[in-house]
């Protein structure tokens, strides 16, 4: 039998704790945490009485760091348990097949902002008023369930200029580049250091019929600045990575990827990390024009001075 590729972690808690537990799991689970509430049918006439127990779960990819990840997750849950008692997390290794089936059952279309609808390839489009962005929730980052991705998509809707190019650093599944093109951008440069992300971006771009407008490149900030791709700068640049990486990039000339007066959207930032990211952005002569937040996650929009 194939080796297990995913480790399911689940906790059954009361409604009150579900959000806090989901937030903790979300820090370790790239593809989204499922919060499953249940109902009981107490008699024949009962149309479903909500129970106060909720199963919160998700899947951690099994890689060489799995034990370290599991330990960090246990520690994070332990911290939470100091505030309110928690049950022990239950771990169960899963095979890809199970994972996909489990995932498909729980993946629903996600409306974002005023215009977009993120949906997996196998679901028929239901809402004809929204622009569909089809993402195969395979293994690459960026399925649309993460708050950071959602914040970026909302900001994208606000800041994208019709016909102008965008640069997407750390493209993952390609979700932001695909959405940008669907919102009117003429060209998106999508780069990532992970070859699996680049494959995912190409496949998702093709599934959305926008592969001609998306340039997929392996690399990072330095490669863009060094002119390895067709554009070096754009009026809109997106980077949904993680605060320490963003800070490093701000020290390496991230602002130079912006056309004069351009907008930079940064995400993957936790509330408590804002001041450090902002200090680096200010040193790079950027000023904050908007901040959006979902739970602990924030996205920041900057403009060149
Ligand atoms: N843009 C997607 C995916 C975000 S996940 C979304 O908004 O949902 C972050 C991605 O950044 C991952 O695919 C990871 O491989 C990539 N990444 C991490 N460090 C990077 C770096 N230094 N340069 C470029 N990409 C990086």
């Amino acid at each position: 039998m194939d080796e297990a590729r995913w480790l399911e972690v689940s906790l059954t808690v009361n409604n009150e704790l579900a959000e806090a537990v989901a937030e903790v799991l979300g820090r370790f689970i790239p593809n989204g945490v499922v919060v499953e509430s249940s109902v009981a049918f107490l008699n024949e006439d009962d149309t479903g009485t909500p129970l106060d127990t909720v199963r919160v779960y998700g899947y951690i990819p099994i890689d060489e760091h799995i034990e370290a990840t599991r330990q960090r997750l246990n520690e994070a849950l332990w911290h939470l348990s100091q505030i309110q008692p928690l049950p022990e997390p239950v771990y169960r290794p899963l095979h890809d097949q199970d994972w996909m089936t489990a995932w498909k059952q729980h993946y629903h279309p996600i409306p974002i902002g005023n215009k977009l609808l993120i949906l997996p390839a196998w679901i028929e489009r239901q809402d004809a008023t929204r622009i569909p962005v089809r993402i195969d929730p395979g293994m690459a980052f960026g399925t649309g369930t993460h708050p950071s991705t959602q914040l970026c998509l909302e900001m994208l809707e606000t800041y994208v200029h019709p016909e102008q190019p965008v640069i997407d650093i750390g493209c993952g599944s390609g979700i932001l580049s695909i959405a940008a093109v669907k919102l009117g951008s003429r060209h998106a440069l999508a780069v990532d250091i992970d070859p699996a992300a680049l494959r995912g971006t190409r496949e998702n771009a093709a599934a959305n019929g926008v592969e001609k407008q998306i340039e997929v490149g392996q690399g990072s900030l330095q490669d863009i600045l060094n002119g390895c791709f067709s554009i070096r700068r754009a009026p809109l640049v997106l980077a949904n990575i993680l605060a320490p990486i963003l800070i490093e990039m701000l020290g390496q000339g991230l602002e130079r990827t912006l056309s004069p007066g351009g907008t930079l959207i940064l995400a993957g930032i936790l509330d408590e990390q804002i001041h450090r990211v902002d200090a680096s952005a200010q040193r790079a002569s950027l000023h904050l024009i908007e901040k959006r937040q979902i739970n602990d996650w924030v996205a920041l929009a900057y403009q060149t001075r």
Side-chain angles (χ1 to χ4, degrees), residues 236-239 250 254 258 262-266 286 300-303:
L236 182 62
V237 175
L238 305 146
L250 285 164
L254 182 56
L258 290 171
T263 308
L264 174 65
I265 297 173
L266 300 179
L286 293 167
L300 306 173
Y302 284 94
Q303 221 149 41

Side-chain angles (χ1 to χ4, degrees), residues 30 140-146 148-153 168-177 191-198 201 217-224 238-242 245-246 248-249 252 267-268:
F141 289 108
T143 56
T145 54
H146 196 281
S148 286
T149 308
Q150 297 184 0
L151 292 167
C152 283
L153 289 165
D168 174 10
I169 309 177
C171 60
S173 63
I175 189 167
L176 302 180
S177 290
V191 302
D192 204 292
I193 50 175
D194 179 355
L198 304 176
T201 297
Q218 179 154 8
S220 189
L221 174 63
Q222 287 310 324
D223 306 285
I224 300 170
L238 305 146
N240 175 18
I241 312 184
L242 286 171
I245 298 174
L246 298 173
E248 200 177 296
M249 288 182 174
Q252 295 171 339

Side-chain angles (χ1 to χ4, degrees), residues 61-69:
I62 296 181
D63 58 16
E64 68 269 30
H65 309 299
I66 184 67
E67 264 317 305
T69 308

